[in-house]
């Protein structure tokens, strides 16, 4: 299946948000995820399905100025 992840088309085998994060090697506790512009709470990552052509935004905090 194909997803749009942070604006780029990505082929994936992941069918849930948590699996996508693992596949893309996102680690840590400071992440925010939105699927089709809806923020997905961390507690629902393992139960939130992904579908072909979904738009996923993965945000990580940055420091600096």
């Amino acid at each position: 299946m194909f997803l749009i992840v942070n604006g780029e088309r990505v082929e994936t085998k992941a069918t849930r948000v948590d699996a996508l994060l693992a596949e893309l090697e996102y680690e840590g506790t400071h992440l925010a995820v939105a699927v089709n512009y809806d923020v997905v709470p961390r507690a629902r990552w393992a139960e939130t399905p992904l579908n072909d052509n979904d738009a996923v935004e993965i945000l990580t905090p940055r420091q600096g100025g």
Side-chain angles (χ1 to χ4, degrees):
M1 128 169 96
F2 288 94
L3 301 171
I4 306 300
V5 178
N6 293 342
E8 294 185 28
R9 191 168 191 239
V10 174
E11 186 172 9
T12 182
K13 294 180 182 179
T15 59
R16 295 180 326 268
V17 169
D18 64 332
L20 178 65
L21 293 173
E23 185 176 303
L24 297 177
E25 298 181 357
Y26 278 91
E27 297 178 2
T29 58
H30 300 295
L31 297 172
V33 179
V35 177
N36 298 322
Y37 306 104
D38 291 324
V39 174
V40 179
R42 179 179 305 275
R44 294 190 41 224
W45 287 358
E47 63 188 54
T48 300
L50 296 170
N51 300 297
D52 199 34
N53 294 314
D54 276 351
V56 179
E57 293 293 326
I58 303 169
L59 306 170
T60 58
R62 291 190 172 202
Q63 290 183 314

